[in-house]
Amino acid sequence: MSLNVIALGGNAILETDPTDEGQKAVIKNAAKSIADFVENGEEVIVCHGNGPQVGNLLLQQKAGEDEKNPAMKLDSCVAMTQGSIGYWLQNALINEFAERGVAKPVVSIVTQVRVDADDPSFKEPSKPIGPFYSKEEAETEAEKDGSVYKEDAGRGYRKVVASPIPQEIVEKEAVQALVQAGVLAVCGGGGGVPVIREGNQLVGVEAVNDKDFSARVLAETIEADRLIILTGVDNIYINYNQPNQKALEEITVAEAEGYIKEGHFAAGSMLPKIEAAVGFVQGYAERKAVITSIENLKNISDGEGTTVIGK
């Protein structure tokens, strides 16, 4: 039996249908694969992304904002999407285990992740969130609260926030207790609610944590055997979409770092997954990181059709 942290992307949940029912349907299918994995004797903690979901929520907040109904700040919106997606996963997994007659408790946790107040990203925010504005509208919005707006791929101006490096799972003792009790916990959703420490207080900040980096911290915290990052393909590739494209199956940390330096992985998609995987494995001969699709989760124990990174 292995202890695994499974990281499920927010874009994998919101494929084409952004409705409540559409996303629930995707998660229901994902729950079947996760349940198969658990039935094979694996222990699991699940975390998830929330990029498109929190973006949609920010749009809804903005559209409905007025003096009596102010928009929630970003840390609250991250918590809100943690709650909704966590509920969908919790509900789907409980139902799937019930169908199989498997006695497996499941719970979702609204998780805070501490970041460093001095993280460089707070001085140079770069993560775009929320709606698009014209240059004039962006300048007006910026005057309201000092937020930073930048032009985004010729489509208009968007608010940009920090994406600091996650440092600590605040609720780590609770998560560890659940692991020891054999509970399947859903936590660290959307990278966790980013908080900084001020004295002995934790304070939410306008930032977005990367889900894959938070999953790495979570996996390290609970001393997981494997970090499993689920994406849209069975393997990662070098020379992707080129005639000499090659699927990677088993690679070392050194090989992965070499491919990173050669620029094989896009910064906005595969790169953070590779970096999180390398960070988890580095220095630990017994640890493995796996990057594959959710449909291929069943093949992880055999190592077939997946990318495995080891020391």
Side-chain angles (χ1 to χ4, degrees):
M1 180 188 296
S2 296
L3 177 57
N4 305 269
V5 168
I6 294 177
L8 177 64
N11 286 304
I13 297 169
L14 200 167
E15 293 179 332
T16 55
D17 185 351
T19 66
D20 179 281
E21 292 304 318
Q23 294 181 79
K24 284 180 180 177
V26 173
I27 284 180
K28 184 176 180 179
N29 286 331
K32 294 181 186 297
S33 296
I34 294 170
D36 287 340
F37 194 60
V38 171
E39 279 202 293
N40 285 337
E42 305 288 354
E43 288 292 334
V44 166
I45 298 290
V46 178
C47 61
H48 59 82
N50 72 340
Q53 292 83 6
V54 78
N56 287 350
L57 178 58
L58 288 165
L59 289 170
Q60 293 164 1
Q61 291 279 316
K62 194 66 182 176
E65 183 179 26
D66 59 35
E67 186 176 344
K68 294 183 178 180
N69 185 34
M72 297 292 103
K73 290 187 176 180
L74 182 55
D75 58 329
S76 294
C77 289
V78 171
M80 291 162 73
T81 52
Q82 266 201 59
S84 59
I85 300 172
Y87 152 63
W88 296 339
L89 279 163
Q90 178 178 318
N91 177 265
L93 287 164
I94 287 173
N95 288 342
E96 187 62 32
F97 287 134
E99 286 290 322
R100 300 171 185 228
V102 175
K104 185 68 175 178
V106 183
V107 69
S108 53
I109 307 170
V110 175
T111 315
Q112 301 170 94
V113 173
R114 183 182 62 79
V115 299
D116 189 342
D118 295 323
D119 190 290
S121 68
F122 284 111
K123 293 182 179 179
E124 292 291 335
S126 60
K127 182 73 173 179
I129 62 168
F132 288 90
Y133 294 98
S134 67
K135 184 176 181 180
E136 293 74 20
E137 289 171 334
E139 290 172 348
T140 300
E141 291 294 321
E143 289 175 359
K144 292 179 180 178
D145 58 7
S147 295
V148 178
Y149 289 78
K150 292 184 179 179
E151 195 272 335
D152 184 3
R155 296 176 293 175
Y157 287 75
R158 296 176 77 190
K159 180 177 179 178
V160 291
V161 298
S163 185
I165 301 297
Q167 302 292 326
E168 176 190 12
I169 307 296
V170 174
E171 291 79 11
K172 56 185 178 295
E173 292 86 1
V175 175
Q176 287 168 331
L178 290 167
V179 170
Q180 292 166 5
V183 176
L184 193 163
V186 179
C187 56
V193 179
V195 296
I196 61 172
R197 190 173 294 282
E198 294 183 353
N200 63 353
Q201 299 293 300
L202 295 170
V203 180
V205 291
E206 287 275 292
V208 174
N209 294 333
D210 184 278
K211 172 263 302 177
D212 297 312
F213 292 147
S214 290
R216 171 200 165 181
V217 174
L218 175 62
E220 291 172 341
T221 297
I222 66 171
E223 298 182 350
D225 300 296
R226 282 186 297 218
L227 170 61
I228 301 170
I229 299 176
L230 300 178
T231 185
V233 292
D234 291 345
N235 299 82
I236 59 175
Y237 293 82
I238 56 173
N239 304 313
Y240 188 60
N241 273 343
Q242 298 177 34
N244 59 340
Q245 170 180 295
K246 178 185 176 182
L248 302 177
E249 295 180 349
E250 290 192 26
I251 60 173
T252 65
V253 165
E255 288 172 327
E257 289 177 329
Y259 293 136
I260 290 172
K261 289 179 181 177
E262 291 170 6
H264 285 283
F265 311 119
S269 57
M270 194 57 74
L271 181 59
K273 295 174 175 53
I274 306 293
E275 290 177 334
V278 166
F280 174 69
V281 171
Q282 203 160 35
Y284 294 88
E286 69 279 8
R287 290 181 179 177
K288 300 291 183 184
V290 181
I291 301 175
T292 192
S293 66
I294 191 157
E295 294 81 11
N296 213 33
L297 188 59
K298 61 182 180 294
N299 294 324
I300 282 179
S301 297
D302 299 328
E304 296 180 2
T306 66
T307 297
V308 180
I309 302 174
K311 186 180 177 183

